[in-house]
Amino acid sequence: MLPGRGAPGARAARTLLPPLLVLLAAARGGWADGASTESPFTSSPVGEGPMTNYSNLSLERHNITLPERSSVQKQVILESPSLMYLTCKFTASGNLTSVCVTWKRGDEPLKNFSHTVEGNSTVRTQYNFTIVNSKQLGNYSCVFEDRKEQRGTFTIQVPEVKGKKKPLITYVGDSTVLVCKCEKCVGPSHWTWYRSNGSVQVPIDANMSAKYVISGAHNNETKLKLMNLLEEDGGSYWCRAVFPLGESEDQQELVVLSFLVPLKPFFAIIAEAVLLVAIILLFEVYTQKRKKHPDDGKEFEQIEQLKSDDSNGLENNAPRQRKK
């Protein structure tokens, strides 16, 4: 045997030692979590190749308890790829051996989940997987079927971003600020702003135009300041938050009015007032004329009466013929 070299058996032991240590560490993690000795993550990421090292991902545990003859929904907010433990407990008063347990993502059945009976009235089921991209977001449901279907649904999504719901109204030449917030997040990787051009969203680059100033690119809140507004600056604006796990966006409306627009109601009021005054004046003129000539009708009647009287007088003054 050459010096400095161990026996073949020792070399083989050194070769097998690292994999054994890895298996023992994995088993210890499973026992510490109270899970079985099977691999705790049974689902590969959608659209991904063989699973790589996800030991740096956070662990997310979420539970749903289903009373008999009921359905429950739970929202799960995620920003980053995570290890997911989804657990459902179904409590029933009947025979638990007839309860059929399945898991679905949307309407697609899932495999490699576990379920056990706890005591005389509870069925427990768990689905573990690694979520690493936006394609895996959506609804994951545990389904218990006996005489009636009971369903617990986990809705996994990235945080929502919110802007002002009502249109923001401003005027030509002014400046305004559009604000977008993410209340249920630590902070997105970055924000981007877009403006709608028909059916197309055009990115806003503050470095290319002095009209725009963008602030808070990596905070829970971002602002888009628009200066020296024109009427054509009105329209739809979108704020988009980009997270490691996906994107979330919201729309805001900006209305830019010219200075004549707020004066239109004033002009309409003036026009109505002028029309009303004209009607009043015409009525006054007509009334005055009637007051100045109140006896015109009577004079006409008197003239006609005199003519009638004159005619009767001539007839009465005619010589009478004696009767023979």
Side-chain angles (χ1 to χ4, degrees):
M1 181 180 301
L2 296 174
R5 295 185 181 181
R11 290 199 301 271
R14 286 196 299 269
T15 304
L16 293 174
L17 183 57
L20 289 175
L21 291 176
V22 173
L23 291 174
L24 287 173
R28 179 180 297 178
W31 297 330
D33 292 334
S36 64
T37 56
E38 298 176 359
S39 175
F41 299 100
T42 56
S43 174
S44 302
V46 176
E48 297 288 332
M51 292 182 64
T52 56
N53 182 19
Y54 297 115
S55 59
N56 59 336
L57 301 184
S58 62
L59 176 61
E60 294 280 338
R61 297 178 181 270
H62 298 277
N63 304 283
I64 285 179
T65 299
L66 283 166
E68 193 171 16
R69 296 184 177 86
S70 66
S71 295
V72 178
Q73 293 186 348
K74 182 176 182 180
Q75 188 180 55
V76 179
I77 304 297
L78 288 180
E79 295 185 37
S80 305
S82 303
L83 310 177
M84 303 297 299
Y85 280 74
L86 304 182
T87 303
C88 291
K89 289 185 178 181
F90 172 61
T91 302
S93 57
N95 184 10
L96 297 180
T97 58
S98 62
V99 176
C100 177
V101 181
T102 57
W103 278 83
K104 295 182 179 180
R105 179 175 180 266
D107 295 326
E108 178 186 355
L110 297 173
K111 300 179 180 179
N112 300 322
F113 58 89
S114 63
H115 72 278
T116 57
V117 176
E118 298 179 349
N120 298 322
S121 60
T122 302
V123 178
R124 180 181 183 275
T125 181
Q126 182 170 309
Y127 180 65
N128 305 330
F129 66 105
T130 306
I131 182 168
V132 295
N133 60 41
S134 59
K135 295 180 181 179
Q136 295 173 270
L137 299 173
N139 294 331
Y140 290 79
S141 301
C142 54
V143 182
F144 300 89
E145 294 184 80
D146 188 6
R147 288 166 294 178
K148 183 182 177 182
E149 178 183 290
Q150 283 76 223
R151 182 185 293 253
T153 302
F154 300 88
T155 301
I156 304 177
Q157 62 186 50
V158 294
E160 292 183 349
V161 298
K162 295 181 179 180
K164 190 175 182 180
K165 296 304 179 185
K166 295 182 179 180
L168 181 61
I169 300 176
T170 186
Y171 298 96
V172 171
D174 288 349
S175 298
T176 191
V177 177
L178 302 179
V179 181
C180 237
K181 297 181 180 180
C182 178
E183 298 177 352
K184 298 181 179 180
C185 65
V186 176
S189 298
H190 64 274
W191 293 87
T192 53
W193 283 91
Y194 297 84
R195 183 184 176 188
S196 293
N197 184 7
S199 59
V200 180
Q201 291 184 354
V202 180
I204 295 176
D205 188 352
N207 296 324
M208 299 297 294
S209 175
K211 180 182 288 289
Y212 306 109
V213 176
I214 298 176
S215 60
H218 302 283
N219 300 328
N220 286 18
E221 178 181 284
T222 181
K223 296 179 180 180
L224 172 65
K225 184 176 181 180
L226 299 94
M227 296 173 289
N228 299 320
L229 289 169
L230 303 174
E231 285 191 73
E232 52 266 27
D233 291 326
S236 298
Y237 289 81
W238 296 81
C239 58
R240 180 177 300 169
V242 181
F243 301 95
L245 195 57
E247 300 177 348
S248 180
E249 64 183 16
D250 193 28
Q251 179 184 6
Q252 299 184 59
E253 291 293 329
L254 176 64
V255 179
V256 182
L257 304 177
S258 69
F259 290 109
L260 293 178
V261 172
L263 295 178
K264 287 182 179 179
F266 179 70
F267 291 148
I269 293 173
I270 292 178
E272 292 178 359
V274 170
L275 179 61
L276 181 61
V277 170
I279 293 173
I280 294 174
L281 291 176
L282 290 174
F283 181 76
E284 288 291 332
V285 171
Y286 176 75
T287 304
Q288 292 296 327
K289 286 184 178 180
R290 290 295 302 269
K291 287 181 178 179
K292 289 180 180 179
H293 306 285
D295 298 330
D296 289 349
K298 292 182 179 180
E299 291 179 355
F300 178 78
E301 291 178 359
Q302 290 177 357
I303 293 171
E304 290 295 324
Q305 183 66 34
L306 290 174
K307 289 181 179 180
S308 177
D309 291 343
D310 290 343
S311 176
N312 291 336
L314 291 174
E315 291 178 358
N316 292 333
N317 293 330
R320 295 180 181 178
Q321 296 182 358
R322 293 181 180 181
K323 292 182 180 181
K324 293 181 179 180

